[in-house]
């Protein structure tokens, strides 16, 4: 795991800033959500296991939900359960939500600009807290989160997005989006929106299948090397996305090789010397959404300018050849429905003769 500051910075990306792995091994956390129809006519009861295998049972769908950040908040909007959200932490910044959810997201009560304070969460009146993080105690100065007993006393069930919260405990890397799809299905089961969850996953798989088919003839060792550059996390010391992070799955499915796929955990501070030694073929300018196309373009320009003028990076292959991917951080490092679209966007940039961009809406 990376340090506290790096974790906060990278998860703050969401606020404005696995069927099986590719080798066939189900190495991710086990998802224990029952399928609709496994219980009563409505699909309940539903059982969900956390990263350690501890189960939470839902006799019915929750009515008052608090989300830890914009990742789970957006998932609920896609599932059609956004009207049950009564509060969130790490609120989405301007322009970070899909346009169809922007107005609704703006009305959600902000319980914490970053991690929700413990007392605020326990007193929120929620019956479910959806957590993108693994352990509030790991957030240092922000304090430890509620204990299981405190959650129970407040009448709040606590579940996690396992593609992110359990990432560092995986036995192997995330090389596909199966863990993200499992989170979507799990939230669908818990909220009674499984039919919609299946539609969303089917749409993601259709997009991913198009990319996989187009790249089927490209051997793994001929796929370009790739560095995700989180410009907003700071330039003094870059933060790498490691193999267990969702971004590694996005990069891999897009037909590239993450140059830091072998580092431990999900995020890790590295040195510019490390980046230079990897000498990537492509660099993603992973800036945060600034709220408008004009401001985003300026941010991408600034990130590119840094790499072109910084002594340590101006001689890199990707910089010298102008091979920059201008796709923001949110849909790359944060689990969600839009990860599949990001796969196609990256693939159409780095494999332009093989993968076509998605057709324009309308």
């Amino acid at each position: 795991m990376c340090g506290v500051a790096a974790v906060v910075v990278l998860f703050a990306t969401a606020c404005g800033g696995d069927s099986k792995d590719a080798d066939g091994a189900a190495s991710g956390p086990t998802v224990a959500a029952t399928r609709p129809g496994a219980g009563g006519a409505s699909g309940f009861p539903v059982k969900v296991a956390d990263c350690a295998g501890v189960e939470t049972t839902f006799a019915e769908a929750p009515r008052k939900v608090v989300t830890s950040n914009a990742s789970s908040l957006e998932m609920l909007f896609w599932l059609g359960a956004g009207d049950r959200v009564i509060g969130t932490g790490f609120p989405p910044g301007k322009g970070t939500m899909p346009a169809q959810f922007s107005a609704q997201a703006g009305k959600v009560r902000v319980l914490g600009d970053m991690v929700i304070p413990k007392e605020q969460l326990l007193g929120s009146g929620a019956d479910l807290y959806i957590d993108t993080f693994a352990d509030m105690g790991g957030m240092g100065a922000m304090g430890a989160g509620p204990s299981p007993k405190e959650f129970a006393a407040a009448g709040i069930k606590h579940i996690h997005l396992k593609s992110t919260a359990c990432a560092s405990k995986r036995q192997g890397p995330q090389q596909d989006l199966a863990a993200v799809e499992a989170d979507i299905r799990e939230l669908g089961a818990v909220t009674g929106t499984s039919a919609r969850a299946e539609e969303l996953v089917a749409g993601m798989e259709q997009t991913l299948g198009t990319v996989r088919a187009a790249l089927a003839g490209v051997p793994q060792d001929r796929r370009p090397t790739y560095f995700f550059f989180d410009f907003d996390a700071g330039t003094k010391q870059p933060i790498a996305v490691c193999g267990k992070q969702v971004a590694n799955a996005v990069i891999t499915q897009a037909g590239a090789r993450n140059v830091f796929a072998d580092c431990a955990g999900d995020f890790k501070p590295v040195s510019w010397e490390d980046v230079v030694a990897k000498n990537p073929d492509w660099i993603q300018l992973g800036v945060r959404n600034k709220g408008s196309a004009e401001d985003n373009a300026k941010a991408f320009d600034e990130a590119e300018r840094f790499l072109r003028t910084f002594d340590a990076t101006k001689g890199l292959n990707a910089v010298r050849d102008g091979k920059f991917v201008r796709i923001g951080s949110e849909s790359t490092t944060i689990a969600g429905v839009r990860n599949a679209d990001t796969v196609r966007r990256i693939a159409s940039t780095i494999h332009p003769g093989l993968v076509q961009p998605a057709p324009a809406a309308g």
Side-chain angles (χ1 to χ4, degrees):
M1 288 289 288
C2 60
V4 170
V7 173
V8 172
V9 166
L10 283 156
F11 273 120
T13 298
C15 38
D18 276 30
S19 45
K20 299 178 181 178
D21 289 337
D23 61 3
S27 61
T30 300
V31 176
T34 57
R35 292 279 184 178
S42 63
F44 292 92
V46 168
K47 291 184 178 181
V48 174
D50 67 11
C51 302
V54 178
E55 290 187 338
T56 297
T57 300
F58 292 83
E60 60 182 1
R63 295 180 174 85
K64 296 180 180 181
V65 182
V66 168
T67 55
S68 70
N69 77 345
S71 178
S72 46
L73 177 62
E74 182 177 331
M75 280 191 189
L76 291 176
F77 286 147
W78 282 109
L79 289 166
D83 57 346
R84 305 180 208 176
V85 180
I86 63 169
T88 192
F90 282 106
K94 179 183 177 182
T96 60
M97 278 280 170
Q100 66 267 40
F101 306 137
S102 180
Q104 189 177 9
K107 296 177 183 177
V108 174
R109 183 162 58 116
V110 177
L111 299 178
D113 290 331
M114 296 181 74
V115 174
I116 301 171
K118 176 178 173 178
E119 294 75 15
Q120 187 86 340
L121 176 56
L122 292 174
S124 65
D127 54 8
L128 173 63
Y129 177 55
I130 304 172
D131 201 344
T132 302
F133 310 105
D135 178 17
M136 293 300 96
M139 295 298 175
M142 285 177 280
S147 68
K149 287 185 178 180
E150 289 171 323
F151 272 121
I156 302 174
K157 296 183 185 297
H158 180 202
I159 65 173
H160 297 82
L161 294 187
K162 289 190 276 295
S163 60
T164 49
C166 307
S168 65
K169 298 180 180 180
R170 293 175 58 91
Q171 295 303 306
Q174 293 200 63
Q175 296 179 318
D176 59 33
L177 293 179
V180 176
E181 293 171 351
D183 279 334
I184 294 168
R185 285 188 167 112
E186 185 166 281
L187 285 189
V190 166
T191 59
T193 60
S194 284
R196 176 58 177 158
E198 291 302 325
E199 290 177 359
L200 293 170
V201 170
M204 292 174 68
E205 279 302 309
Q206 183 175 14
T207 298
L208 295 169
T210 298
V211 175
R212 281 194 292 265
L215 299 179
V218 183
Q220 290 295 327
D221 62 357
R222 298 294 298 275
R223 298 187 177 200
T225 56
Y226 194 97
F227 171 53
F228 178 88
F229 172 40
D230 193 331
F231 179 64
D232 292 318
T235 57
K236 186 174 181 179
Q237 181 178 38
I239 302 296
V241 290
C242 302
K244 295 181 180 182
Q245 219 281 324
V246 168
N248 188 71
V250 172
I251 293 166
T252 301
Q253 289 292 301
R257 291 177 290 159
N258 175 15
V259 294
F260 289 107
D262 59 351
C263 66
D266 43 8
F267 299 109
K268 182 181 179 181
V270 295
S271 68
W272 283 115
E273 289 79 5
D274 293 328
V275 176
V276 171
K278 300 291 186 181
N279 199 11
D281 298 317
W282 285 87
I283 297 176
Q284 181 174 339
L285 305 175
V287 302
R288 317 285 165 75
N289 195 311
K290 308 304 179 186
S292 71
E294 180 181 2
D295 288 341
N296 287 339
K298 290 179 180 178
F300 285 128
D301 288 344
E302 187 178 355
E304 180 176 333
R305 188 179 306 113
F306 169 79
L307 293 172
R308 287 189 180 279
T309 58
F310 185 45
D311 285 342
T313 57
K314 62 185 180 182
L316 292 174
N317 288 344
V319 176
R320 186 188 64 241
D321 299 337
K323 290 186 174 180
F324 300 109
V325 178
R326 292 186 167 217
I327 295 176
S329 297
E330 286 85 354
S331 63
T332 309
T333 63
I334 300 298
V337 174
R338 291 186 286 171
N339 291 151
D341 296 322
T342 301
V343 166
R344 182 165 182 170
R345 290 178 63 197
I346 293 173
S348 66
T349 302
I350 67 177
H351 297 286
L354 297 175
V355 181
Q356 300 300 313

